[in-house]
Amino acid sequence: MSSALAIYLTQEAPASYWNPKSNLVFGENKAQIILVEDEAENLRRIQKAGRTLDNTGAVTIEAAGSDWSLERQWALSQGFTSTLSTNQVIWNKTDEPAVKELDAMREATRFSRELTNLSAEEIYPESLAQRVTEHFKALAPDAISAEFIKGEALKDAGWMGIYTVGRASQHAPGLLVLDYNPTGDENAPVETALIGKGITYDSGGYSIKPSEGMLAMKCDMGGAATVSGALSLAIRRGLNKRVKLILCCAENMIDGRAYKLGDIIRYKNGLTVEVVNTDAEGRLVLADGLQAAGEFGAKQIIDAATLTGAAQMAVGNEYNALFSVDEVAATKALANADKENELLWRLPLAPWHSENCPSAFADTANSRPQKGGGAGGASNAAGFLLRFAPNSGKGWLHFDLAGAYQKSATSMWATGATAAGVRTIAATVQGD
């Protein structure tokens, strides 16, 4: 007897004893997913069937028959992925290149999910940096070097956003700069800088979150996990360009040293920021990452963050939101999302959004003193980041990861991290 439940695809209607609306029916040692004419709907049906199979208690399934494309198999895997990543999909063996790509996608997204799903007791700034560094040194040992600047050394180096947000925690904040340089030339240009928000736990600081709002805040380093997973996938796909991975790592906690509302942060580039909301901390640490990317002379800059509730209000938990003032870069990112079958929606960002958080005491505030930052909160957060983006935002993409984490299971996803965005960012790093 096979050790895996065989899953077939069919367009035949289910037998009369099944509900005619059923998209998954069972037979002896097998199950069938009922397809329709529209392929986009088929991928949704397949992913939902994967969730149903997980809920039945199946732990190993196999894509059987001749109708499995790469995207259909990936949809099945996405639905069948359990929160603790113990399930397994055996790929259809008829297309070996697809099997290789599916393996790469599975390993990279599993790495991203596991990082995000671990508790804040296990993932804190330094341990996050260590896990990411170890992953890449195992993946590409001859092409990786890394530096982690932490604690008071951040202040000495001028990385005041990360230092200020994280100074109240028992776990020192830090900036990880990981250099993937497959060229062997130490003077090779940096083609892309990947910047990730690595807030390993977010209490909200003195703008403290309610208890229910804190429950999922181990996922606030989802941006760091997403760009790390994206670089991992790009390397597995044969990336031969130099990339800097910059993770801005801190715990946003409360004690007598915590930063307060009304404090002024002076950044390395001279800009001053008034803190009007300590729960708008992600943009404060990403500002350092953007400045670091500028110092490295990166041609393309991509940041990713679980940044605003406003983005979730706009696009829901199914899409990620994209912001950019570079039309060419944004168009390419959206095309990559379509190619990689990930949901990405562009929201407004204009240069004047950088002026939408005014301060009487500094060059800008980090938000507006209103719930959720007020109207247009996601665009205003992106506008804040635009102040720090090199070259007035040319070549810069900001991903607000509204779809990175599910607080509870849905018909499409298990509870926890989704790794949504990993494929799109990997393709954008790879380029033409």
Side-chain angles (χ1 to χ4, degrees):
M1 181 179 292
S2 173
S3 60
L5 177 65
I7 311 299
Y8 291 87
L9 300 175
T10 182
Q11 288 190 318
E12 294 182 6
S16 59
Y17 50 80
W18 287 96
N19 185 319
K21 295 182 179 180
S22 297
N23 72 327
L24 178 67
V25 298
F26 292 88
E28 186 176 356
N29 299 324
K30 71 177 183 179
Q32 289 182 308
I33 300 173
I34 314 299
L35 301 184
V36 294
E37 293 298 324
D38 181 70
E39 185 60 13
E41 178 58 25
N42 282 335
L43 295 180
R44 288 181 58 83
R45 292 170 73 88
I46 291 169
Q47 186 164 337
K48 287 180 178 180
R51 291 298 314 127
T52 301
L53 288 162
D54 178 42
N55 290 329
T56 64
V59 293
T60 307
I61 61 176
E62 181 176 5
S66 59
D67 299 318
W68 288 98
S69 66
L70 182 149
E71 291 297 342
R72 288 177 172 183
Q73 292 182 76
W74 187 243
L76 181 66
S77 176
Q78 293 285 79
F80 192 61
T81 297
S82 66
T83 300
L84 297 177
S85 300
T86 55
N87 291 349
Q88 181 183 7
V89 177
I90 299 173
W91 310 124
N92 192 284
K93 300 290 194 299
T94 59
D95 186 346
E96 285 303 320
V99 169
K100 182 179 179 181
E101 172 65 7
L102 287 162
D103 280 340
M105 288 158 53
R106 177 160 58 190
E107 291 305 311
T109 57
R110 179 177 290 166
F111 168 57
S112 179
R113 282 191 177 106
E114 287 177 349
L115 281 178
T116 307
N117 285 338
L118 285 170
S119 72
E121 188 69 18
E122 297 171 279
I123 289 289
Y124 45 89
E126 190 163 11
S127 71
L128 172 60
Q130 288 173 343
R131 285 174 184 262
V132 169
T133 301
E134 289 169 1
H135 175 87
F136 285 103
K137 285 189 173 180
L139 183 61
D142 297 330
I144 297 294
S145 60
E147 178 185 17
F148 185 63
I149 305 168
K150 69 175 184 176
E152 293 300 314
L154 287 168
K155 188 176 181 180
D156 297 338
W159 303 124
M160 294 304 298
I162 300 170
Y163 174 80
T164 300
V165 170
R167 71 190 185 202
S169 173
Q170 65 173 326
H171 298 298
L175 177 70
L176 174 66
V177 179
L178 184 142
D179 188 1
Y180 171 70
N181 187 3
T183 70
D185 177 6
E186 63 181 16
N187 297 314
V190 177
E191 296 293 331
T192 301
L194 290 173
I195 306 166
K197 174 186 172 184
I199 301 296
T200 56
Y201 192 75
D202 182 17
S203 72
Y206 277 111
S207 303
I208 192 167
K209 296 177 182 289
S211 178
E212 62 272 15
M214 279 194 230
L215 179 60
M217 281 301 101
K218 64 181 183 180
C219 82
D220 215 19
M221 40 64 66
T226 298
V227 292
S228 297
L231 179 58
S232 180
L233 178 55
I235 292 171
R236 295 170 195 275
R237 288 175 169 177
L239 179 68
N240 59 6
K241 302 173 183 178
R242 188 177 189 181
V243 174
K244 293 274 192 178
L245 178 68
I246 303 167
L247 303 188
C248 308
C249 307
E251 281 188 334
N252 188 18
M253 303 293 279
I254 302 171
D255 77 355
R257 298 180 64 233
Y259 73 125
K260 301 169 288 296
L261 281 74
D263 283 356
I264 306 293
I265 303 173
R266 182 176 292 276
Y267 280 87
K268 198 172 186 180
N269 62 1
L271 274 172
T272 56
V273 176
E274 181 188 8
V275 177
V276 302
N277 185 348
T278 62
D279 197 23
E281 84 297 330
R283 66 201 74 180
L284 296 176
V285 302
L286 289 176
D288 282 337
L290 288 166
Q291 290 175 96
E295 290 184 1
F296 297 135
K299 299 177 184 178
Q300 175 178 238
I301 298 172
I302 301 170
D303 78 66
T306 50
L307 201 65
T308 67
Q312 287 186 328
M313 291 297 290
V315 301
N317 288 116
E318 293 77 27
Y319 281 78
N320 286 328
L322 175 69
F323 298 85
S324 183
V325 291
D326 186 325
E327 295 299 320
V328 173
T331 299
K332 287 182 179 179
L334 290 166
N336 284 330
D338 186 60
K339 180 181 70 174
E340 297 287 343
N341 201 45
E342 290 192 318
L343 298 176
L344 182 66
W345 197 265
R346 189 178 181 189
L347 292 179
L349 178 62
W352 51 262
H353 278 107
S354 64
E355 303 168 4
N356 274 11
C357 296
S359 167
F361 302 98
D363 295 319
T364 184
N366 72 325
S367 185
R368 289 176 174 175
Q370 304 168 29
K371 184 176 181 180
S379 293
N380 294 338
F384 176 91
L385 295 177
L386 180 58
R387 286 178 172 267
F388 296 89
N391 304 316
S392 300
K394 181 176 175 58
W396 168 59
L397 297 166
H398 165 53
F399 287 77
D400 197 330
L401 301 173
Y405 192 88
Q406 300 290 331
K407 293 182 180 180
S408 59
T410 71
S411 64
M412 297 282 286
W413 299 100
T415 303
T418 67
V422 165
R423 292 180 63 182
T424 297
I425 294 174
T428 306
V429 169
Q430 190 80 49
D432 298 330

